[in-house]
Short mmCIF file of all heavy atoms in Angstrom, two decimals:
data_model
loop_
_atom_site.label_atom_id
_atom_site.label_comp_id
_atom_site.label_asym_id
_atom_site.label_seq_id
_atom_site.Cartn_x
_atom_site.Cartn_y
_atom_site.Cartn_z
N GLU A 401 14.11 -42.98 28.11
CA GLU A 401 12.60 -42.71 28.49
C GLU A 401 12.11 -44.05 29.00
O GLU A 401 12.08 -45.10 28.21
CB GLU A 401 11.99 -42.05 27.43
CG GLU A 401 12.45 -40.71 27.01
CD GLU A 401 11.50 -40.09 26.00
OE1 GLU A 401 10.32 -39.89 26.32
OE2 GLU A 401 11.89 -39.82 24.82
N LEU A 402 11.70 -43.98 30.23
CA LEU A 402 10.95 -45.16 30.84
C LEU A 402 9.43 -44.96 30.97
O LEU A 402 9.04 -43.89 31.56
CB LEU A 402 11.58 -45.43 32.24
CG LEU A 402 13.12 -45.51 32.25
CD1 LEU A 402 13.52 -45.68 33.75
CD2 LEU A 402 13.74 -46.69 31.40
N TYR A 403 8.67 -45.83 30.41
CA TYR A 403 7.22 -45.71 30.47
C TYR A 403 6.63 -46.77 31.44
O TYR A 403 6.72 -48.01 31.20
CB TYR A 403 6.55 -45.87 29.06
CG TYR A 403 6.92 -44.77 28.06
CD1 TYR A 403 8.16 -44.81 27.40
CD2 TYR A 403 6.12 -43.70 27.99
CE1 TYR A 403 8.50 -43.82 26.51
CE2 TYR A 403 6.49 -42.55 27.11
CZ TYR A 403 7.64 -42.63 26.43
OH TYR A 403 7.97 -41.64 25.48
N VAL A 404 6.28 -46.34 32.53
CA VAL A 404 5.86 -47.25 33.60
C VAL A 404 4.22 -47.08 34.01
O VAL A 404 3.82 -45.99 33.88
CB VAL A 404 6.65 -47.09 34.81
CG1 VAL A 404 8.17 -47.26 34.51
CG2 VAL A 404 6.46 -45.74 35.51
N PRO A 405 3.76 -48.20 34.51
CA PRO A 405 2.23 -48.03 35.03
C PRO A 405 2.26 -46.91 36.15
O PRO A 405 3.11 -46.68 36.91
CB PRO A 405 2.09 -49.41 35.62
CG PRO A 405 2.95 -50.23 34.80
CD PRO A 405 4.17 -49.54 34.60
N LYS A 406 1.09 -46.28 36.17
CA LYS A 406 0.80 -45.16 37.17
C LYS A 406 0.93 -45.67 38.58
O LYS A 406 1.22 -44.91 39.56
CB LYS A 406 -0.46 -44.56 36.88
CG LYS A 406 -0.68 -43.79 35.62
CD LYS A 406 -1.91 -43.06 35.54
CE LYS A 406 -2.08 -42.18 34.28
NZ LYS A 406 -3.40 -41.52 34.17
N ASN A 407 0.62 -47.01 38.89
CA ASN A 407 0.49 -47.49 40.15
C ASN A 407 1.99 -47.87 40.72
O ASN A 407 2.05 -48.22 41.97
CB ASN A 407 -0.32 -48.66 40.32
CG ASN A 407 0.12 -49.89 39.68
OD1 ASN A 407 0.76 -49.77 38.64
ND2 ASN A 407 -0.11 -50.97 40.30
N TRP A 408 3.03 -47.69 39.87
CA TRP A 408 4.45 -48.10 40.56
C TRP A 408 4.84 -46.91 41.28
O TRP A 408 4.69 -45.71 41.15
CB TRP A 408 5.33 -48.28 39.34
CG TRP A 408 5.22 -49.69 38.64
CD1 TRP A 408 4.08 -50.34 38.65
CD2 TRP A 408 6.12 -50.14 37.76
NE1 TRP A 408 4.40 -51.56 37.85
CE2 TRP A 408 5.68 -51.44 37.12
CE3 TRP A 408 7.39 -49.83 37.18
CZ2 TRP A 408 6.27 -52.20 36.36
CZ3 TRP A 408 8.07 -50.55 36.32
CH2 TRP A 408 7.50 -51.77 35.82
N GLN A 409 5.51 -47.27 42.39
CA GLN A 409 6.27 -46.43 43.31
C GLN A 409 7.66 -46.35 42.87
O GLN A 409 8.42 -47.26 43.17
CB GLN A 409 6.02 -46.77 44.72
CG GLN A 409 4.76 -46.76 45.28
CD GLN A 409 4.62 -47.14 46.72
OE1 GLN A 409 5.18 -46.51 47.63
NE2 GLN A 409 3.88 -48.23 47.11
N VAL A 410 7.95 -45.27 42.09
CA VAL A 410 9.38 -45.19 41.66
C VAL A 410 10.32 -44.24 42.36
O VAL A 410 9.83 -43.03 42.61
CB VAL A 410 9.29 -44.79 40.16
CG1 VAL A 410 10.80 -44.68 39.60
CG2 VAL A 410 8.48 -45.75 39.30
N SER A 411 11.37 -44.69 42.93
CA SER A 411 12.29 -43.75 43.60
C SER A 411 13.53 -43.51 42.84
O SER A 411 13.98 -44.43 42.10
CB SER A 411 12.50 -44.36 45.04
OG SER A 411 13.18 -45.58 44.95
N ASN A 412 14.15 -42.43 43.13
CA ASN A 412 15.35 -42.00 42.44
C ASN A 412 16.63 -42.28 43.27
O ASN A 412 16.86 -41.80 44.33
CB ASN A 412 15.35 -40.50 42.13
CG ASN A 412 16.54 -40.02 41.23
OD1 ASN A 412 17.43 -40.78 40.88
ND2 ASN A 412 16.63 -38.74 41.13
N GLY A 413 17.46 -43.33 42.65
CA GLY A 413 18.70 -43.53 43.39
C GLY A 413 19.91 -43.41 42.46
O GLY A 413 20.98 -43.93 42.64
N THR A 414 19.72 -42.54 41.49
CA THR A 414 20.81 -42.32 40.29
C THR A 414 21.84 -41.25 40.86
O THR A 414 21.53 -40.47 41.78
CB THR A 414 20.21 -41.81 39.17
OG1 THR A 414 19.48 -40.64 39.36
CG2 THR A 414 19.27 -42.81 38.53
N HIS A 415 22.99 -41.37 40.26
CA HIS A 415 23.95 -40.24 40.49
C HIS A 415 24.06 -39.51 39.23
O HIS A 415 24.44 -40.00 38.06
CB HIS A 415 25.39 -40.95 40.72
CG HIS A 415 25.41 -41.80 41.93
ND1 HIS A 415 25.20 -41.29 43.24
CD2 HIS A 415 25.68 -43.10 42.23
CE1 HIS A 415 25.24 -42.15 44.12
NE2 HIS A 415 25.54 -43.32 43.55
N ALA A 416 23.92 -38.27 39.15
CA ALA A 416 23.67 -37.39 38.02
C ALA A 416 24.92 -36.37 37.93
O ALA A 416 25.21 -35.57 38.91
CB ALA A 416 22.41 -36.75 37.98
N GLY A 417 25.59 -36.32 36.79
CA GLY A 417 26.57 -35.32 36.71
C GLY A 417 26.28 -34.63 35.28
O GLY A 417 26.43 -35.07 34.22
N MET A 418 25.86 -33.33 35.57
CA MET A 418 25.29 -32.50 34.37
C MET A 418 24.37 -33.25 33.61
O MET A 418 24.28 -33.29 32.36
CB MET A 418 26.55 -32.08 33.36
CG MET A 418 27.51 -31.28 34.18
SD MET A 418 28.86 -30.59 33.01
CE MET A 418 27.95 -29.44 32.14
N GLY A 419 23.39 -33.89 34.36
CA GLY A 419 22.28 -34.52 33.88
C GLY A 419 21.16 -34.66 34.96
O GLY A 419 21.38 -34.23 36.06
N SER A 420 20.09 -35.32 34.67
CA SER A 420 19.05 -35.35 35.57
C SER A 420 18.02 -36.51 35.30
O SER A 420 18.01 -37.05 34.19
CB SER A 420 18.19 -34.05 35.68
OG SER A 420 17.54 -33.88 34.49
N LEU A 421 17.31 -36.94 36.22
CA LEU A 421 16.21 -37.86 36.19
C LEU A 421 14.86 -37.12 36.47
O LEU A 421 14.84 -36.48 37.55
CB LEU A 421 16.38 -39.02 37.17
CG LEU A 421 15.24 -40.14 36.92
CD1 LEU A 421 15.86 -41.55 37.10
CD2 LEU A 421 14.03 -39.90 37.93
#
Side-chain angles (χ1 to χ4, degrees):
E401 297 187 61
L402 310 176
Y403 294 86
V404 304
K406 289 184 178 181
N407 69 322
W408 282 16
Q409 301 182 54
V410 182
S411 59
N412 181 7
T414 60
H415 299 298
M418 299 186 72
S420 64
L421 184 145

